[in-house]
Amino acid sequence: MTALREPPIRPEYVLPLRPVAGAGAIQTANGVRPRSSPLNNLGWLRKPAILLVIAVLWEAAARWFGNDLLLPGAWQTAQAFVEGVRSGELVGFVAVSLAVLTQGFLLGVGASFLLTWLAVSSRLGRELIDTLTSMFNPLPAIALLPLALLWFGLGKGSLLMVLVHSVVWPLTLNASAGFRAVPETLRMAGRNYGLGGLRMVLQILIPAALPSILSGLKIGWAFAWRTLIAAELVFGSTSGQGGLGWYIFQSRNELFTDKVFAGLATVILIGLAIEHFVFQTLERVTVRRWGMQR
């Protein structure tokens, strides 16, 4: 019999990492990492730069069109905006709209949390909320305005009804989906630490479902804001006090197109401010800090 021969031992070697060709990488002690672009360090400047480019293109298009009544330029709109703020006219309309929006949004959030609790507490509640969201989430809130006017008349009640409708269903849908997506291992870990009931909800379920809840809040806010402006455009002032939508509608009737664009720009600026100072700050101190969102 021939003796079994040991297989040859393959020599081991290590290939050193080579830097990427060009100036797109930096050699470090841990290897090679991509060189960061100078624009990556100027994140605060990118969005204003985008807005500036849009304003320049807008001004160029208005000058090429040559009709201030149909398309005022960005500079003319900025002058109308500054004049409205200086005189206090635009500020008053914005204050009325934001006051109504805050009340309707908070009412919608409270109702949504109650519906979400019902959806996650039992199978019957989940099926009920699934049915209700399937029925009412596709229904535009502005379509309920004639019914709201019939029930509550020309007043704040009509606006609050359509605002609550625009907030409650998308938030309930996102929040309930977030709670259902919480892994069972997290629930088991919470039970191992002796958590249960309200402590389980506050310390395990809500932090795990917070990305979905924040998405629902942002969607509900956007729906409520545009629903409010549309409702104010339809029936104007509320109890003798006009909102931003009424300012736009009134300026259109008086053929102040620059004021119309100033009102629309105010709607956009308020949306950008809420997104940056409220929602992005909330995401930065919660889900991004916890490593749950990039």
Side-chain angles (χ1 to χ4, degrees):
M1 296 179 62
T2 59
L4 296 177
R5 300 179 58 184
E6 294 290 335
I9 299 176
R10 182 179 180 182
E12 296 182 357
Y13 55 91
V14 178
L15 293 177
L17 293 176
R18 296 180 179 180
V20 181
I26 300 177
Q27 183 74 35
T28 63
N30 297 325
V32 180
R33 64 179 177 86
R35 184 186 299 273
S36 60
S37 172
L39 293 178
N40 293 335
N41 301 324
L42 299 175
W44 59 272
L45 193 59
R46 287 195 295 267
K47 288 185 178 180
I50 293 173
L51 295 178
L52 180 61
V53 170
I54 293 175
V56 171
L57 294 177
W58 176 10
E59 182 69 26
R63 292 180 182 273
W64 177 79
F65 197 71
N67 190 335
D68 293 341
L69 182 62
L70 298 181
L71 182 62
W75 178 249
Q76 186 178 355
T77 301
Q79 289 179 323
F81 176 80
V82 172
E83 176 62 26
V85 173
R86 187 188 62 81
S87 64
E89 180 186 18
L90 186 58
V91 175
F93 286 111
V94 170
V96 172
S97 291
L98 290 181
V100 178
L101 177 68
T102 302
Q103 297 178 41
F105 185 75
L106 292 178
L107 288 174
V109 169
S112 175
F113 284 165
L114 290 177
L115 293 177
T116 303
W117 172 79
L118 182 63
V120 300
S121 60
S122 64
R123 183 179 181 86
L124 178 61
R126 182 176 61 189
E127 293 177 351
L128 174 63
I129 299 306
D130 287 343
T131 304
L132 291 178
T133 53
S134 299
M135 291 171 55
F136 293 113
N137 193 38
L139 182 64
I142 199 66
L144 295 177
L145 188 58
L147 187 60
L149 294 175
L150 181 63
W151 287 351
F152 301 102
L154 287 173
K156 186 185 295 184
S158 299
L159 291 178
L160 291 180
M161 176 181 171
V162 295
L163 289 179
V164 169
H165 173 82
S166 62
V167 173
V168 66
W169 303 116
L171 180 53
T172 301
L173 187 63
N174 281 268
S176 59
F179 280 115
R180 295 177 196 174
V182 176
E184 186 62 27
T185 53
L186 289 180
R187 302 174 188 265
M188 295 171 61
R191 287 192 290 267
N192 289 337
Y193 279 98
L195 301 180
L198 184 60
R199 294 180 62 194
M200 173 71 80
V201 173
L202 294 178
Q203 299 184 29
I204 298 295
L205 298 183
I206 290 182
L210 196 56
S212 297
I213 295 175
L214 288 178
S215 297
L217 286 173
K218 289 195 289 187
I219 295 173
W221 141 256
F223 282 3
W225 183 225
R226 67 186 186 185
T227 297
L228 176 63
I229 299 300
E232 290 176 345
L233 282 168
V234 171
F235 69 85
S237 61
T238 305
S239 301
Q241 294 180 324
L244 186 55
W246 175 244
Y247 171 82
I248 296 173
F249 182 76
Q250 190 178 26
S251 300
R252 174 260 181 192
N253 288 337
E254 297 174 357
L255 296 180
F256 292 140
T257 314
D258 53 348
K259 290 186 176 182
V260 173
F261 276 84
L264 296 176
T266 305
V267 174
I268 296 173
L269 291 176
I270 291 175
L272 291 175
I274 296 296
E275 172 69 23
H276 180 74
F277 293 107
V278 177
F279 291 114
Q280 288 190 7
T281 302
L282 189 58
E283 288 179 351
R284 185 171 60 252
V285 300
T286 54
V287 294
R288 291 183 186 176
R289 182 180 179 183
W290 300 339
M292 302 171 63
Q293 190 180 72
R294 295 183 61 184

